[in-house]
Amino acid sequence: MAWTKYQLFLAGLMLVTGSINTLSAKWADNFITKGCGESPEHSFKHPFLQAVGMFLGEFSCLAAFYLLQCRAAGQSVSSMDPQQPFNPLLFLPPALCDMTGTSLMYVALNMTSASSFQMLRGAVIIFTGLFSVAFLGRRLAPSQWLGILATIAGLVVVGLADLLSKQDNQHKLSEVITGDLLIIMAQVIVAIQMVLEEKFVYKHNVHPLRAVGTEGLFGFVILSLLLVPMYYIPAGSFSGNPRGTLEDALDAFCQLGKQPLIALALLGNISSIAFFNFAGISVTKELSATTRMVLDSLRTVVIWALSLALGWETFHPLQILGFLILLMGTALYNGLHRPLLACLSRGWPPAQEGEHERLLGGSRTPINETS
């Protein structure tokens, strides 16, 4: 069945905004300018402030939810499912996981390339599968176990490519290794978030935009308050600001004032995460969760190609192999091989049964799949 113009628009919106999300964050990291007072020029390394901006983008999804609700209320036949009453505090544990995982990933993005950052995020499949077996009592199919093994192999190849590639002055080898490990550590936390969402949140039939927005509200408020003690906590070599603290929001705002393009990059990050969540949820609803997974893989290719074109990183052939293995692992885990086999055996189009409710092998699509 041919896609409608609206479906093509949603697919394009997801691909573009998802790519902008990572690229804009990396663009901000690459700026070098003076901060407050007489501090020397230094890179814009403010991962926790960037994470606050990301949660602000998620928080804006609440506005989209209420706009849709008002629109549905004005129609004779509502297209939105009736919302069951629920305790918003149910979102606090997954929001804390989201806050921790996102902050770690923004720290890691300062240390490694944008393409490796995006590829290594595929590790979430490994931990989501293992945690779903341990805590949700799910049984994985043999193809899903093969997908996990392929993902592990792909991660090894991508990590090896990072070790063998030429390191520039911005990313030293020790920083790249640390950054890659932080990304994988963050995926453990993201997997816990997904398991918590499925176990405690989905059964309340909460609209995904409302769920993302509520988590964004918790993350925005909590992390904004944490910026105050972070201003005084020494961080040693992990600090990117002249004061050597965990985060210096004042220095960030001074750099914003002296280099307005940083503000443009942050605005792109905030707005893209809002539109990306909306587009991702809509793609799952209008097309299928498998289509969403394929578009997410294409996003990695776009980020990789643009990073190479902009000179942010050097090409290494092992990255191609690593990406292909990761793509194969993701396809096996999400069951993409089944419609392909059905296509070969019965012709096109294959059956689409169950695709709208499947992304990471579970019965529901993960609430938040950011950046």
Side-chain angles (χ1 to χ4, degrees):
M1 184 180 296
W3 286 7
T4 65
K5 291 182 179 180
Y6 178 62
Q7 290 172 334
L8 286 172
F9 168 75
L10 289 175
L13 182 65
M14 179 183 170
L15 182 61
V16 171
T17 55
S19 302
I20 290 175
N21 182 245
T22 299
L23 291 170
S24 60
K26 191 62 182 179
W27 186 34
D29 295 342
N30 287 338
F31 281 105
I32 299 177
T33 185
K34 289 186 177 181
C36 298
E38 300 299 325
S39 63
E41 290 188 345
H42 55 280
S43 300
F44 185 83
K45 291 186 177 181
H46 298 281
F48 296 100
L49 185 68
Q50 285 178 296
V52 170
M54 189 277 294
F55 283 116
L56 181 60
E58 287 188 6
F59 180 29
S60 65
C61 289
L62 270 182
F65 165 75
Y66 287 116
L67 285 174
L68 290 175
Q69 196 174 47
C70 291
R71 180 185 175 187
Q75 298 175 348
S76 57
V77 179
S78 175
S79 59
M80 294 184 68
D81 296 331
Q83 295 293 294
Q84 300 175 358
F86 70 98
N87 186 351
L89 290 177
L90 282 174
F91 290 96
L92 182 56
L96 291 174
C97 292
D98 193 8
M99 182 183 71
T100 306
T102 300
S103 299
L104 282 176
M105 283 189 281
Y106 275 119
V107 171
L109 188 57
N110 282 311
M111 300 179 174
T112 190
S113 64
S115 62
S116 294
F117 169 83
Q118 196 65 38
M119 291 182 194
L120 291 173
R121 290 181 63 187
V124 69
I125 285 178
I126 301 170
F127 305 111
T128 302
L130 296 178
F131 291 162
S132 66
V133 170
F135 301 109
L136 300 179
R138 181 168 297 143
R139 296 184 64 182
L140 299 183
S143 61
Q144 290 179 304
W145 286 112
L146 285 175
I148 289 176
L149 293 176
T151 301
I152 294 173
L155 294 175
V156 172
V157 174
V158 171
L160 187 60
D162 281 343
L163 292 176
L164 297 178
S165 62
K166 295 179 181 179
Q167 306 301 323
D168 53 28
N169 294 329
Q170 185 181 2
H171 297 131
K172 298 178 181 178
L173 181 59
S174 59
E175 289 183 346
V176 170
I177 295 173
T178 304
D180 289 353
L181 292 175
L182 285 176
I183 295 170
I184 295 176
M185 187 186 305
Q187 302 321 300
V188 178
I189 301 172
V190 172
I192 295 173
Q193 173 194 346
M194 291 183 176
V195 170
L196 288 173
E197 287 172 346
E198 182 165 343
K199 189 171 182 65
F200 299 111
V201 176
Y202 279 138
K203 63 182 180 181
H204 294 275
N205 192 30
V206 182
H207 191 279
L209 281 177
R210 189 179 188 183
V212 171
T214 306
E215 285 189 13
L217 172 60
F218 279 122
F220 176 75
V221 172
I222 295 172
L223 195 54
S224 295
L225 294 175
L226 287 176
L227 290 179
V228 177
M230 287 180 182
Y231 183 81
Y232 301 99
I233 299 174
S237 60
F238 281 96
S239 174
N241 57 77
R243 295 180 62 252
T245 56
L246 197 58
E247 181 60 281
D248 189 342
L250 294 180
D251 179 72
F253 287 118
C254 288
Q255 289 187 293
L256 284 171
K258 294 176 181 178
Q259 178 52 272
L261 287 177
I262 299 177
L264 179 63
L266 295 182
L267 181 62
N269 186 258
I270 294 170
S271 57
S272 64
I273 193 64
F275 284 105
F276 176 67
N277 276 287
F278 171 76
I281 291 166
S282 301
V283 164
T284 303
K285 180 180 178 181
E286 296 289 334
L287 296 166
S288 70
T290 301
T291 303
R292 183 176 180 178
M293 183 271 294
V294 172
L295 290 172
D296 203 51
S297 299
L298 289 176
R299 177 167 65 120
T300 304
V301 177
V302 172
I303 292 170
W304 186 19
L306 288 176
S307 296
L308 290 172
L310 294 169
W312 290 355
E313 58 185 272
T314 56
F315 173 78
H316 197 285
L318 271 181
Q319 284 187 312
I320 298 179
L321 178 61
F323 172 72
L324 291 176
I325 297 174
L326 286 172
L327 185 61
M328 181 180 66
T330 303
L332 285 170
Y333 189 90
N334 289 281
L336 188 59
H337 62 290
R338 294 192 184 96
L340 289 176
L341 291 175
C343 172
L344 294 175
S345 61
R346 295 195 299 271
W348 188 266
Q352 298 292 319
E353 181 181 357
E355 282 195 17
H356 287 270
E357 300 294 334
R358 182 184 183 89
L359 183 60
L360 286 176
S363 58
R364 297 294 299 269
T365 301
I367 285 176
N368 182 18
E369 211 185 12
T370 63
S371 37

